[in-house]
Amino acid sequence: MAADTAPELDVSEWLNGPPQSLAALRGKVVMVETFQMLCPGCVSHGIPLAQRVHQTFSHDDVAVVGLHTVFEHHAVMGRDALAVFLSEYRVTFPVGIDRPSGDDVPSTMARYGLQGTPTTLLIDRAGHVRFHRFGRVDELVFGAVLGQLIAEAAPTTEPTATSSAPVTPLGADAPASHAS
Amino acid sequence: MAADTAPELDVSEWLNGPPQSLAALRGKVVMVETFQMLCPGCVSHGIPLAQRVHQTFSHDDVAVVGLHTVFEHHAVMGRDALAVFLSEYRVTFPVGIDRPSGDDVPSTMARYGLQGTPTTLLIDRAGHVRFHRFGRVDELVFGAVLGQLIAEAAPTTEPTATSSAPVTPLGADAPASHAS
Amino acid sequence: MAADTAPELDVSEWLNGPPQSLAALRGKVVMVETFQMLCPGCVSHGIPLAQRVHQTFSHDDVAVVGLHTVFEHHAVMGRDALAVFLSEYRVTFPVGIDRPSGDDVPSTMARYGLQGTPTTLLIDRAGHVRFHRFGRVDELVFGAVLGQLIAEAAPTTEPTATSSAPVTPLGADAPASHAS
Amino acid sequence: MAADTAPELDVSEWLNGPPQSLAALRGKVVMVETFQMLCPGCVSHGIPLAQRVHQTFSHDDVAVVGLHTVFEHHAVMGRDALAVFLSEYRVTFPVGIDRPSGDDVPSTMARYGLQGTPTTLLIDRAGHVRFHRFGRVDELVFGAVLGQLIAEAAPTTEPTATSSAPVTPLGADAPASHAS
């Protein structure tokens, strides 16, 4: 696996639909919104952004996946609490529960080296991480990165190394909100 | 001139910098923000969006141009009033005064068939109008269209007919906010 | 007990401080913010308003009390989940857990006949309910009612019947957002 | 005239209705919103607040008066420009043009010693300035002060000296946003 290829999601249970995998979504742009249901920034910004992307863009081009990466207060953010949360907040995209690891930090969160929640990831059609942002995301900047990734061709069976280049058209004035 | 090629701007005077032309900006994505200084929607939404684009994206890729398309109350929205307005609102992108036509509607506004203000236009690197929106623009959707246009290659000297295709990756759920 | 006198709070446990009672708070204006921790309107509007009132006004004049009135999904909104919620959302005013009644609707919620959450109550210095609003509260209107109640003198030991008059200075244009 | 009595408005022309005077409004709470039509903070915050107060509270209790205190760029903020501005922004409360003084600062602005625009004033039923704020006003705090002033009785013909006490119920936590 090339260094830039996004690690697969390791999920113990899926809510809001059938199991998802990055492998099966290859060819689409994938937004992975990692959150905890009792994280204020997730509730105010991360989840609403993910829901808007899910409702706005064609599902042929963009797949939105939530990932419940609980790394604290595990006892009160279990599966049943999450299900109520998703219903009350009218979240309709599929949400996976990041697999407990025995440590506080669950499995996928560790694979990606996430700092905390909310963290928003964009994975391009070829399966490479092209946007990784901890904290609030600017909608204009995020939209521009998403649009660029949508515009890229889906990979052939042999993706070239150059397809994992970071998104570069944003200038020096742009917030430091994306990284490969 | 092909049907889709953006008409040239017809401007009587430029503020905030030297004269601009779409011809000279060919190869970049151009955002044209048309406004009137006493239009509430322009002040609340259109001008702040244009200013943010101007500050966020590389000027090698994206040029922002304001166009003061006064079609009512001409006596109180003249050149000197506009200059004060631009200073007070800290607008730093170049702004052209749409040339008076003898009619209420000024010259460029008539060429583009604009309904009113604010109207936001995006012109691709090849000089074709790809986004034309009267009223408030959704930042996420606008960002995505902008990102897609940034991702397109600059035209060779002989642009192909297909380069003027409307931006299509946005799905059926998207607001009807773009048109070629 | 006179018809207008606010029923006492019936609470099984207090978080964020010692037990509170309306009887003990007599002489102050009391804001009672009823909520459920997984109710989006409570998280977006009700709790932030209560927190702002708690931080803005003198505690000699205004007491803010939260009341966790769980009437659905009891299993996932228990005492420990609430404690995490209050910590994560930095709620610093005292919060009581409305006493379970055996029915879905807890004890105090039934006494007050609340329709749902969030519901915001204002109780005047003499112990009468003067504002009762289900849903989002307008800050300007709420502030005006609060200011009027602050301005009223604390009751003597024999409050007069007229002290329970509804707040009337708001005109016919005001939203129908208060009731005795 | 007592030190605290609000100076009379000195206006060269009234728009949106007949001439107003503080003397004639005695007995009501008066909100005076001073602004310049090309001042961004006035357009974003001051004028919308004044319009909301005008629409929300009974005109028997609260009178809203705008005052166009132009102290810069006089040539482009004249009477006709102001009339267009008020129409475009749907301002419906009466607006006086602060009388030119021969100096940059107009007459009423000098009388009140205003620092700039927007400045929001509240004058109580007895004619005393009780709130004087330059810059953005917090709606919750402003509402509370307004509510307290509404709750005060209208003066008899011989107001007592104590009626001009500053609004004091706001505690030490309150923003420093009011002064007598």
Side-chain angles (χ1 to χ4, degrees), chain C residues 52 55 138 147-148 169 173, chain D residues 52 55 138 147-148 150 170 173:
Chain C
R52 290 194 62 221
Q55 291 173 325
D138 180 286
Q148 293 175 67
D173 291 320
Chain D
R52 289 195 61 221
Q55 291 173 325
D138 179 286
Q148 292 175 69
I150 290 171
L170 303 185
D173 291 320

Side-chain angles (χ1 to χ4, degrees), chain C residues 92-167:
Chain C
T92 59
F93 50 82
V95 173
I97 297 171
D98 197 0
R99 188 182 303 279
S101 66
D103 190 15
D104 275 349
V105 174
S107 171
T108 315
M109 189 173 184
R111 288 182 181 179
Y112 277 82
L114 303 186
Q115 296 171 259
T117 55
T119 293
T120 302
L121 305 167
L122 280 175
I123 298 167
D124 68 17
R125 296 181 188 271
H128 301 90
V129 177
R130 300 282 287 281
F131 182 94
H132 178 150
R133 167 81 161 139
F134 170 47
R136 186 170 185 169
V137 169
D138 180 286
E139 287 209 358
L140 178 63
V141 171
F142 180 80
V145 176
L146 185 57
Q148 293 175 67
L149 298 187
I150 290 171
E152 294 179 357
T156 60
T157 47
E158 294 293 335
T160 63
T162 57
S163 69
S164 61
V167 174

Side-chain angles (χ1 to χ4, degrees), chain B residues 54-160:
Chain B
H54 184 63
Q55 291 174 325
T56 301
F57 295 92
S58 166
H59 296 176
D60 292 338
D61 282 310
V62 181
V64 175
V65 174
L67 187 67
H68 199 224
T69 53
V70 178
F71 60 92
E72 57 189 347
H73 312 302
H74 296 77
V76 300
M77 292 193 274
R79 186 261 176 220
D80 291 352
L82 177 62
V84 169
F85 173 84
L86 296 178
S87 169
E88 292 293 322
Y89 279 84
R90 310 200 190 300
V91 172
T92 59
F93 51 81
V95 173
I97 297 171
D98 197 1
R99 188 182 303 280
S101 66
D103 191 14
D104 275 350
V105 174
S107 172
T108 314
M109 189 173 184
R111 288 183 182 179
Y112 277 82
L114 304 186
Q115 296 172 257
T117 55
T119 294
T120 302
L121 304 168
L122 281 176
I123 299 167
D124 68 17
R125 295 180 188 271
H128 300 92
V129 177
R130 299 282 286 281
F131 181 94
H132 178 150
R133 168 81 161 136
F134 170 47
R136 186 168 187 171
V137 169
D138 179 287
E139 287 209 358
L140 178 63
V141 171
F142 181 79
V145 176
L146 185 57
Q148 292 175 67
L149 298 187
I150 289 172
E152 294 178 358
T156 60
T157 47
E158 293 294 337
T160 64

Side-chain angles (χ1 to χ4, degrees), chain A residues 30-180:
Chain A
V30 182
M31 176 184 188
V32 180
E33 185 64 32
T34 70
F35 70 100
Q36 295 183 106
M37 58 175 278
L38 296 184
C39 149
C42 303
V43 167
S44 299
H45 305 302
I47 291 167
L49 177 64
Q51 186 65 31
R52 290 194 62 223
V53 171
H54 183 63
Q55 291 173 325
T56 302
F57 295 92
S58 166
H59 296 176
D60 292 338
D61 283 309
V62 181
V64 176
V65 174
L67 187 67
H68 198 225
T69 52
V70 178
F71 61 92
E72 57 187 349
H73 312 303
H74 297 77
V76 300
M77 292 193 276
R79 187 263 176 218
D80 291 350
L82 176 62
V84 169
F85 173 84
L86 296 179
S87 169
E88 292 294 321
Y89 280 83
R90 309 200 191 300
V91 172
T92 58
F93 50 82
V95 173
I97 297 171
D98 197 1
R99 188 182 302 279
S101 66
D103 190 16
D104 275 349
V105 174
S107 171
T108 314
M109 189 174 185
R111 288 183 182 179
Y112 277 83
L114 304 186
Q115 296 172 259
T117 54
T119 293
T120 302
L121 304 168
L122 281 176
I123 298 166
D124 68 18
R125 296 182 188 271
H128 300 90
V129 177
R130 299 283 287 282
F131 182 94
H132 178 150
R133 168 81 162 138
F134 170 47
R136 186 168 186 170
V137 169
D138 180 286
E139 287 207 358
L140 178 64
V141 170
F142 180 80
V145 176
L146 184 57
Q148 292 175 68
L149 298 187
I150 290 171
E152 294 178 358
T156 60
T157 47
E158 293 293 337
T160 65
T162 56
S163 69
S164 63
V167 174
T168 54
L170 303 185
D173 290 320
S177 58
H178 53 290
S180 64

Side-chain angles (χ1 to χ4, degrees), chain D residues 1-124:
Chain D
M1 182 181 289
D4 273 323
T5 300
E8 188 53 87
L9 307 175
D10 188 18
V11 163
S12 57
E13 181 177 355
W14 287 90
L15 302 178
N16 280 353
Q20 307 287 316
S21 75
L22 297 183
L25 294 170
R26 198 63 45 86
K28 299 185 182 185
V29 179
V30 182
M31 176 185 189
V32 180
E33 184 64 33
T34 71
F35 70 99
Q36 296 183 104
M37 58 175 277
L38 296 184
C39 150
C42 303
V43 167
S44 300
H45 306 302
I47 292 167
L49 177 64
Q51 187 65 31
R52 289 195 61 221
V53 172
H54 184 63
Q55 291 173 325
T56 302
F57 295 93
S58 166
H59 296 176
D60 292 337
D61 283 309
V62 181
V64 175
V65 174
L67 187 67
H68 199 225
T69 53
V70 178
F71 61 92
E72 57 187 349
H73 312 302
H74 297 76
V76 300
M77 292 193 275
R79 187 264 176 218
D80 291 351
L82 176 61
V84 169
F85 172 84
L86 296 178
S87 169
E88 292 293 322
Y89 279 84
R90 309 200 191 300
V91 172
T92 58
F93 51 81
V95 173
I97 297 170
D98 197 1
R99 188 182 302 280
S101 65
D103 190 16
D104 275 350
V105 174
S107 171
T108 314
M109 188 174 186
R111 287 181 183 181
Y112 277 83
L114 304 186
Q115 296 171 257
T117 55
T119 293
T120 302
L121 304 168
L122 281 175
I123 298 166
D124 68 17

